[in-house]
Amino acid sequence: MKNICMRAVALATVSLAGANVCAQSNVSIYGVVDAATAYASNQGGNSTTYMRSGSLSASKIGFQGVEDLGGDLKALFLLENGFESDTGAQSSASSLFNRQAWVGLQSQAYGSLTAGRQYTPYYLLVGSLASSNILTGATGAHPGDIDGLDTTVRISNSITYSMPAWRGLQASAQYGFGEAADGNAAGSSFSAAVKSSSSPAEFALGYLKLKNGENAMGWSDSASGSIGISAINRGYASADSIEFIAASARYTMGKWMVGANASNVQYQAGSHSTFRDTAIFNTAGLIASYQWTPQWFLSAGYSDTYASRANGIADRARYRQLSFEQNYALSKRTAVYLIEARQLARGQTLAQNGAIVDAVASVGDSQNGTPSSNGGQTVVMVGLKHSF
């Protein structure tokens, strides 16, 4: 009887210890596999049909974990790799965890502190209410993701502090170290944003400044912040620094959501820039969505982007874009979708060498490397997405 009791006590002790370990530490794997057939009416002068990865959501695999350190303190980490579902290749051949790679500490009372390669507070708080998160960055992001409200901007060597949420209010600030040999100023970045969520309304305001690496003739790979290069901003990629200010708002009424967003982006010239005057891009956008049935989700967006008259350009560039999405959920994890967009470009802009050229269309951020040869581009994509 005594042995039976001792064995019962031992079993209970082991069980409690195991439960304690599970409660203290947890690691999970998640991801998305997204593949689509795409049609573009004009890519460099020709229409084309092709396979594309990550048209609705970027194909990726991630590892995230949390460990309870006791009291009110937890350790966090996240590693996320992007890949191409059509070829199996990494999205970035030189980086395994090219999307995110960070570690940090979190307290409900004092907030969180994270360090590594991260998204900006500007994107996480303001971008979460903008078009690329309601539609998709592929066709719904503002032309070329000119205002960084999609995921093209990521910050390496960065530290982020986020305050604990309070009555629907969130705030966060981030600094990215340039890690230049002669100081941290070259290639550094700074971002701060605030978001208020009080159902049914949400509002966010954010700021981001990216500094280029020293003596860069284009956007330097050594800068802490990455940017998307497209036909919209290629002539200004040699900027000494770029400043972003954006605001987003949306209102939900049952199955309907309506929203608006606006941004101001300034490409500031330096001694090595191929342009001399600050180039300014202003964008205004509208978005709407409708949960028609539990399976059908419909959304639409319109944006108008126009550049300043500078650097010898009198007929400033203007880009107008209309985007749609129809999404049918086969299950909680699997969906088929159809997305369409049309963009019109007018006026003039700068080429990479600083020459004045006619503006050309480049839908969302899916056509950054394949712009139209003229002022019009239509993109249609049909695909399948599975999340795990």
Side-chain angles (χ1 to χ4, degrees), residues 99-372:
R99 295 181 62 85
Q100 299 184 77
W102 53 260
V103 65
L105 297 172
Q106 181 184 60
S107 163
Q108 287 190 345
Y110 300 105
S112 65
L113 187 69
T114 54
R117 180 171 172 80
Q118 308 173 78
Y119 290 121
T120 63
Y122 171 88
Y123 162 71
L124 292 172
L125 299 185
V126 184
S128 64
L129 303 181
S131 58
S132 60
N133 276 273
I134 303 302
L135 289 149
T136 168
T139 54
H142 296 155
D145 194 26
I146 186 67
D147 48 15
L149 291 176
D150 194 23
T151 59
T152 54
V153 177
R154 299 181 180 91
I155 310 297
S156 297
N157 315 314
S158 63
I159 295 178
T160 303
Y161 170 73
S162 300
M163 63 167 277
W166 180 74
R167 295 186 178 181
L169 184 68
Q170 297 173 265
S172 184
Q174 178 189 78
Y175 182 77
F177 294 88
E179 296 194 347
D182 58 350
N184 288 321
S188 64
S189 66
F190 174 76
S191 177
V194 61
K195 178 180 179 181
S196 175
S197 299
S198 179
S199 183
E202 296 177 277
F203 173 80
L205 176 66
Y207 172 81
L208 169 64
K209 182 168 185 177
L210 304 176
K211 291 187 178 181
N212 206 347
E214 286 191 318
N215 305 323
M217 300 307 294
W219 193 256
S220 174
D221 292 337
S222 65
S224 63
S226 60
I227 64 169
I229 303 295
S230 69
I232 286 82
N233 68 348
R234 185 170 289 114
Y236 308 103
S238 60
D240 180 69
S241 62
I242 312 173
E243 283 191 289
F244 305 74
I245 300 175
S248 294
R250 66 185 191 188
Y251 189 87
T252 303
M253 304 165 289
K255 295 182 177 182
W256 284 95
M257 184 282 299
V258 294
N261 46 77
S263 65
N264 172 276
V265 183
Q266 300 189 21
Y267 288 76
Q268 297 163 345
S271 59
H272 289 81
S273 300
T274 56
F275 63 100
R276 64 180 185 273
D277 305 323
T278 296
I280 302 173
F281 291 83
N282 291 301
T283 299
L286 298 172
I287 52 175
S289 69
Y290 180 60
Q291 190 71 54
W292 185 18
T293 70
Q295 291 78 34
W296 278 106
F297 175 78
L298 311 175
S299 58
Y302 173 78
S303 66
D304 193 343
T305 300
Y306 51 96
S308 58
R309 294 183 178 90
N311 298 292
I313 296 173
D315 185 12
R316 61 182 181 176
R318 184 178 183 183
Y319 309 87
R320 286 171 287 181
Q321 181 175 286
L322 185 62
S323 306
F324 299 96
E325 175 196 338
Q326 303 87 49
N327 188 313
Y328 183 80
L330 298 172
S331 70
K332 290 183 178 181
R333 296 179 177 273
T334 305
V336 293
Y337 61 86
L338 181 65
I339 52 180
E340 313 94 357
R342 173 69 176 172
Q343 187 185 121
L344 296 176
R346 297 291 183 267
Q348 295 179 317
T349 186
L350 293 188
Q352 187 172 2
N353 62 2
I356 297 176
V357 296
D358 290 337
V360 297
S362 182
V363 166
D365 58 23
S366 65
Q367 307 298 312
N368 282 8
T370 52
S372 173

Side-chain angles (χ1 to χ4, degrees), residues 29-34 53-54 56-62 80-85 91 98-100 119 151 154 385-388:
I29 301 174
Y30 67 92
V32 173
V33 184
D34 183 317
S53 173
L56 186 64
S57 300
S59 294
K60 55 184 172 285
I61 183 169
E80 190 174 271
N81 165 261
F83 63 90
E84 305 300 323
S85 63
S91 298
N98 59 302
R99 295 181 62 85
Q100 299 184 77
Y119 290 121
T151 59
R154 299 181 180 91
K385 183 190 83 167
H386 176 75
S387 304
F388 60 91

